[in-house]
Amino acid sequence: MDVDLVVAGAGGGLAGALRTAQLGMDVLVVEADEHHLRGNNTSMSTAMIPGAGSRFQRAAGIDDSPEGFLDDIAAKTGGQADPRVATALATVSAELVEWLADHVGMPIELAGDVDYPGHSARRMHTLPGRHGSVLLQCLTDAVRAHDRIDLLAPARLVGVGTARTGSRSAVVRYPDGRSEEISARAVLLATNGFGADPELVRTHLPEIAGVDYHGSEHSRGDALRIGASLGAATGCLDAYQGHAAVSAAARTLVTWTTVMQGGLVVDGEGRRFGDETLGYSEFAALLAAQPGGYGWIVLDERINDLCLSFTDFRDVVDSGAVRTADTLGELAERTGMSAPILAAEVAAMAAVARGDASDPHGRTHVAAPLAPPYQAIEVVPALFHTQGGLLVDEHGQVLDTAGAPLGGLYASGGAAVGMSGHGAAGYLAGNGLLPALGLAYLAADHLAAA
Ligand SMILES: Cc1cc2nc3c(=O)[nH]c(=O)nc-3n(C[C@H](O)[C@H](O)[C@H](O)COP(=O)(O)OP(=O)(O)OC[C@H]3O[C@@H](n4cnc5c(N)ncnc54)[C@H](O)[C@@H]3O)c2cc1C
């Protein structure tokens, strides 16, 4: 036996490598992209990780629990989230963020100033700068410092077999075409989903297939192909995280906190077209359906100042993508919107904020009315990542079509069925990183007990 665990993918899977090594086992991480520190989804993320009932929440006086989180998941997904996975992840979430702080040494802090659609408590944990590059750097530094973990990159997992010992073998291919077979007690598929494979996206996610893809180019569906070759079952392949707030000019995420703090999303003429607070993921397809497939986030200086804690938002501001004007008429001139339509939308939302009117789209959460000077950022819809994948149990074990575990094979993150049910609307903030880090962590615990 070469190692106890081969982890394929150095994104969220690194949490599984670190947990496995902490439990006294040897790990080999194989990573297809030598630039993964800047190129994978974990590195591109906003680093928001939910932890329900954590000590960070208690210190901030926030009362939360896995049960409360599960209720939110059930409400957002219409009860369609995989129950085993959702329960396991909601239950481990607080332990996970505390472990990242205590064992990995991450400067974890509660994002106590932001609300996200569908979360009934402020339960996002993050790092200073609120960017996944910091998160991934911390994970990678800890991996490199651990003498039980080797990280091999670039090296692509191309197959998983069964070794003569009854354990697994991982077939790895190098860029020069050479291949190597490594024997291991188990393999963890942490290779993300299939967002970078246009054919698979067209097949499973036709409603979002035409928009920009804003995720890792290495999310090519390798886990699906490898899983299929072993008889694995799949689930929720139509699930995805979209986003309706990618800056058209900067091609960087404008945080949805702009909206949750009172901003509006309007079409090219300045007209709202839905309740923005339901969720940014489902808003992507709505935005794509507007004339020209673009829109604007209308905000003000108060909101702008609040969002500067997000690295991505600062990048958007620094790129010059924010248009500012003292009046809505001037803002309309600078953006090509219709002044009367924009003014009517802002006035109507101010009335909702004051409690004087109800919103025809059903929006009830308006932090405050917009005030001059006004700002606007042009946005386009994007696909961030796919959410369905290989069916797994509460330990991250990959299941066959009869529901039995395929021994020695685990999946996490975008490679596995997520906790978002079907379509785009089930995505709650944090539903990407929690399965990525959490299923990898749970797989390590299971392997240690096996
Ligand atoms: C802009 C943006 C912001 C986001 N913000 C958040 C957020 O705040 N909170 C949240 O929960 N989610 C967020 N997400 C989603 C989140 O980033 C992903 O769901 C999560 O990072 C997926 O982790 P992963 O480990 O599955 O994939 P990745 O982090 O992409 O890692 C997979 C790795 O596997 C490698 N790989 C692929 N195939 C192979 C192979 N065959 N062999 C070896 N290696 C391979 C890839 O190169 C890659 O490094 C965001 C996504 C985007 C795009």
Side-chain angles (χ1 to χ4, degrees), residues 8-13 30-33 36 40-50 155-158 190-193 214-216 218-219 222 226 241 253 312 384-385 387 412-415 427 429-434 436:
V30 295
E31 165 55 51
D33 179 12
H36 72 283
N40 68 23
N41 269 41
T42 300
S43 74
M44 297 169 80
S45 77
T46 315
M48 291 289 162
I49 312 163
R156 186 167 213 103
L157 182 80
V158 292
T191 53
N192 208 346
H214 193 72
S216 163
H218 286 273
S219 300
D222 286 2
I226 292 169
Q241 184 201 352
L253 177 62
D312 281 338
F384 275 14
H385 58 105
Q387 278 277 286
S412 59
Y427 189 84
N431 277 15
L433 288 173
L434 181 56

Side-chain angles (χ1 to χ4, degrees), residues 15 21 27 42 46 105 126 135 151 163 230 236 247 278 307 313 386 395 442:
V27 186
T42 300
T46 315
T126 189
L135 170 70
L151 173 56
L230 299 168
C236 297
S247 160
L278 288 179
C307 294
F313 186 77
T386 57
H395 308 295
L442 290 167

Side-chain angles (χ1 to χ4, degrees), residues 61 77 131 141 219 241 342 356 402:
T77 60
H131 202 265
D141 288 347
S219 300
Q241 184 201 352
L342 178 63
D356 293 344

Side-chain angles (χ1 to χ4, degrees), residues 47-390:
M48 291 289 162
I49 312 163
S54 77
R55 68 168 191 256
F56 301 97
Q57 288 179 304
R58 282 196 296 280
I62 294 171
D63 185 22
D64 196 14
S65 66
E67 292 72 28
F69 188 10
L70 276 169
D71 287 346
D72 293 345
I73 294 166
K76 192 82 173 75
T77 60
Q80 291 182 325
D82 183 290
R84 271 196 289 193
V85 172
T87 305
L89 289 172
T91 305
V92 81
S93 62
E95 177 184 328
L96 177 72
V97 294
E98 292 176 9
W99 175 81
L100 289 171
D102 299 339
H103 180 72
V104 184
M106 280 187 196
I108 292 284
E109 58 189 27
L110 186 74
D113 57 337
V114 287
D115 289 314
Y116 278 99
H119 282 288
S120 59
R122 289 185 171 172
R123 59 170 71 101
M124 290 301 146
H125 297 70
T126 189
L127 303 92
R130 302 180 173 189
H131 202 265
S133 55
V134 185
L135 170 70
L136 189 62
Q137 189 68 58
C138 287
L139 286 169
T140 305
D141 288 347
V143 159
R144 290 202 170 120
H146 210 298
D147 59 9
R148 282 192 174 275
I149 311 176
D150 284 320
L151 173 56
L152 200 57
R156 186 167 213 103
L157 182 80
V158 292
V160 173
T162 307
R164 274 197 302 278
T165 52
S167 59
R168 288 294 177 188
S169 68
V171 183
V172 172
R173 185 169 303 147
Y174 301 103
D176 63 7
R178 277 183 310 119
S179 294
E180 190 177 2
E181 197 160 344
I182 297 151
S183 68
R185 283 175 58 211
V187 175
L188 169 64
L189 299 172
T191 53
N192 208 346
F194 55 87
D197 184 318
E199 195 49 51
L200 284 175
V201 170
R202 266 194 299 276
T203 304
H204 298 293
L205 314 168
E207 73 175 24
I208 203 75
V211 310
D212 282 6
Y213 171 57
H214 193 72
S216 163
E217 62 175 275
H218 286 273
S219 300
R220 299 177 188 167
D222 286 2
L224 286 185
R225 278 183 286 275
I226 292 169
S229 73
L230 299 168
T234 57
C236 297
L237 293 180
D238 60 340
Y240 71 94
Q241 184 201 352
H243 215 299
V246 171
S247 160
R251 294 285 150 176
T252 301
L253 177 62
V254 183
T255 168
W256 207 246
T257 299
T258 49
V259 167
M260 298 305 286
Q261 285 295 338
L264 319 183
V265 181
V266 297
D267 67 11
E269 283 199 294
R271 192 177 280 106
R272 288 179 61 238
F273 48 88
D275 175 1
E276 302 90 332
T277 61
L278 288 179
Y280 46 76
S281 179
E282 55 269 54
F283 231 69
L286 265 183
L287 179 59
Q290 302 312 307
Y294 77 103
W296 297 87
I297 293 183
V298 183
L299 62 157
D300 60 14
E301 270 188 357
R302 176 189 65 83
I303 299 175
N304 185 312
D305 289 351
L306 273 166
C307 294
L308 289 172
S309 56
F310 291 86
T311 300
D312 281 338
F313 186 77
R314 281 203 306 276
D315 289 346
V316 171
V317 172
D318 291 346
S319 77
V322 182
R323 316 257 175 110
T324 304
D326 287 332
T327 66
L328 290 170
E330 281 170 37
L331 194 67
E333 247 173 55
R334 283 185 197 162
T335 55
M337 289 188 246
S338 149
I341 292 174
L342 178 63
E345 291 289 11
V346 171
M349 199 40 56
V352 174
R354 288 192 305 269
D356 293 344
S358 57
D359 174 30
H361 299 292
R363 179 167 172 175
T364 53
H365 178 92
V366 191
L370 296 179
Y374 300 102
Q375 301 185 335
I377 304 171
E378 187 180 346
V379 285
V380 289
L383 167 64
F384 275 14
H385 58 105
T386 57
Q387 278 277 286
L390 301 177

